[in-house]
Amino acid sequence: MTTDTFKGIAVVDHKDWKNPKKVEFPAKPFYDNDVDIKIEACGVCGSDIHCAAGNWGQKQTPLVVGHEIIGKVVKVGPKCKTGLKIGDRVGVGAQVFSCLECERCKNDNEPYCARFVTTYSQPYEDGYVSQGGYANYVRVHEHFAVPIPENIPSEYAAPLLCGGLTVYSPLLRNGCGPGKKVGILGIGGIGHMGILFAKAMGAEVYAISRSNAKKEDSLKLGADHYIATKEEPDWGTKYFDTFDLIVVCASSLTDVDFDVMPKAMKVGGRIVSISVPEQDEVLTMKPFGLIGVSIANSILGSIAEMKQLLKLVSENNIKIWVETLPVGEAGVKEAFERMDKGDVRYRFTLVDYEKEFGN
């Protein structure tokens, strides 16, 4: 049974974000449709780094980040109706609340709800500021806790819940499948999952990166082709009229040439960015380059899409590339430092929660 005080590894000062501290913090109020989850693993997402470092503005501290949470249900609210039971292994991604009543929510577009609440750093309507998964427990509305298939180990399941879902949603919504030529631009924590998913969905997959440094990895992941944009600055002309879809997974858009990329698109082709860069970045392009081409930005994915992604991974036995680190001040510090340097192939998952937080 949980208490109303949780423990976590928190950023206590944005200026010293790489030195997180173990803290106690109050849990949010427990409502009738809530569940408590004892956490056993949590992925480390690029969003965690941006938020911890203050790249998206100052947040209330202490701040416990982490929104790729896997754990066991230990408490179920009296009005829960999704069928979750104590002991169920579930996942929580980057969203913990929406109204569930508006047309967007009713049409499986919860991430676009006006009452959206992120898993950490954002106030609920009652004023409580959400706290994330580098902690012993998380308390959320039942709708946002999704059962995890038995054959997906927790350390591999965790990164699917934000990073994986974020690239899967635009693939699904923009027709990725047999007969389609799909580019994944930016081969990192999210991009490498994009290659795996697009291939499993039946597309012909092009990995697109700045240099040839990730060519071998990309081909091992299942990419059919590889484009190094610095080696071929006008690659859009070489691949003229090739792509049905390009998903931009780069963490920064500064080095992405949006005047070259549209040349490679088929008429009606779509460029979808999932990047959420530092808040002072500006996207520039020549508008005539977008004739016949759509460009958009995608955020997260719905709970329905999360369930579909987990089914895809389970049925195809997809293994994303994961390195585990022990949760705790030292482990989170290492994750932050190495993520900041790009020293990861390609995702971190924090584990050993029982050892750090006990029962």
Side-chain angles (χ1 to χ4, degrees):
M1 183 64 68
T2 52
T3 67
D4 287 325
T5 300
F6 296 167
K7 297 176 182 178
I9 310 300
V11 174
V12 295
D13 183 352
H14 286 304
K15 294 178 181 177
D16 192 31
W17 65 277
K18 292 180 183 177
N19 287 296
K21 302 298 179 186
K22 189 173 184 177
V23 302
E24 292 189 350
F25 61 93
K28 84 172 194 69
F30 190 92
Y31 295 114
D32 287 347
N33 288 99
D34 283 348
V35 294
D36 279 356
I37 300 163
K38 184 180 181 184
I39 300 172
E40 61 184 43
C42 185
V44 180
C45 188
S47 302
D48 300 348
I49 307 306
H50 278 303
C51 203
N55 294 339
W56 293 342
Q58 298 293 303
K59 306 296 183 183
Q60 178 177 301
T61 55
L63 170 65
V64 178
V65 298
H67 56 205
E68 297 176 336
I69 301 166
I70 303 290
K72 299 282 180 64
V73 175
V74 293
K75 184 178 179 181
V76 177
K79 293 186 179 179
C80 286
K81 51 193 176 186
T82 57
L84 290 179
K85 307 180 301 297
I86 290 175
D88 286 351
R89 187 172 63 130
V90 296
V92 177
Q95 181 176 10
V96 289
F97 187 79
S98 71
C99 76
L100 302 179
E101 297 172 352
C102 68
E103 286 302 308
R104 293 185 174 191
C105 287
K106 289 178 180 178
N107 286 287
D108 292 324
N109 282 312
E110 303 99 323
Y112 302 92
C113 175
R115 294 168 64 188
F116 173 105
V117 177
T118 58
T119 304
Y120 57 78
S121 82
Q122 186 175 355
Y124 281 88
E125 291 173 338
D126 63 9
Y128 180 85
V129 177
S130 57
Q131 298 282 10
Y134 299 5
N136 56 351
Y137 294 97
V138 66
R139 177 174 290 171
V140 299
H141 189 286
E142 60 170 335
H143 180 79
F144 297 95
V146 175
I148 303 297
E150 288 185 11
N151 68 328
I152 309 178
S154 292
E155 64 267 31
Y156 293 101
L160 301 174
L161 302 177
C162 176
L165 181 61
T166 298
V167 70
Y168 178 71
S169 179
L171 289 172
L172 184 67
R173 293 182 183 221
N174 291 282
C176 177
K180 301 295 184 178
K181 294 185 177 181
V182 174
I184 304 294
L185 190 152
I187 312 305
I190 292 180
H192 99 281
M193 289 189 277
I195 294 174
L196 288 165
F197 303 157
K199 190 66 179 175
M201 295 166 80
E204 183 175 344
V205 182
Y206 292 70
I208 308 171
S209 189
R210 285 174 291 186
S211 72
N212 280 304
K214 296 179 180 176
K215 182 174 182 178
E216 185 178 345
D217 283 357
S218 296
L219 297 177
K220 285 181 181 176
L221 288 161
D224 299 290
H225 311 278
Y226 189 89
I227 301 171
T229 59
K230 293 295 185 184
E231 304 292 326
E232 305 178 72
D234 193 21
W235 62 273
T237 298
K238 178 178 178 179
Y239 293 92
F240 177 78
D241 201 33
T242 293
F243 292 99
D244 298 284
L245 171 66
I246 291 179
V247 181
V248 180
C249 302
S251 59
S252 167
L253 298 178
T254 302
D255 292 331
V256 179
D257 194 331
F258 284 93
D259 292 325
V260 170
M261 196 187 324
K263 300 176 187 177
M265 306 304 297
K266 292 180 179 177
V267 174
R270 299 180 181 183
I271 300 168
V272 183
S273 171
I274 56 90
S275 178
V276 185
E278 296 185 19
Q279 58 184 359
D280 59 351
E281 277 201 22
V282 177
L283 181 64
T284 59
M285 69 184 75
K286 296 173 183 175
F288 284 109
L290 294 180
I291 294 175
V293 177
S294 300
I295 185 167
N297 192 269
S298 175
I299 184 172
L300 301 181
S302 69
I303 295 300
E305 288 167 338
M306 184 185 291
K307 292 175 180 176
Q308 290 178 67
L309 172 59
L310 290 168
K311 185 173 185 286
L312 178 78
V313 171
S314 174
E315 291 180 348
N316 291 276
N317 197 29
I318 296 171
K319 286 288 191 295
I320 62 175
W321 291 13
V322 172
E323 179 180 344
T324 59
L325 291 171
V327 71
E329 291 179 0
V332 174
K333 177 182 174 68
E334 180 180 347
F336 283 174
E337 289 178 341
R338 289 179 57 189
M339 285 279 286
D340 196 37
K341 294 187 294 186
D343 177 23
V344 56
R345 286 289 193 274
Y346 279 98
R347 301 291 291 197
F348 286 128
T349 298
L350 298 171
V351 294
D352 294 345
Y353 274 69
E354 190 91 9
K355 184 176 179 180
E356 175 65 26
F357 297 114
N359 292 317

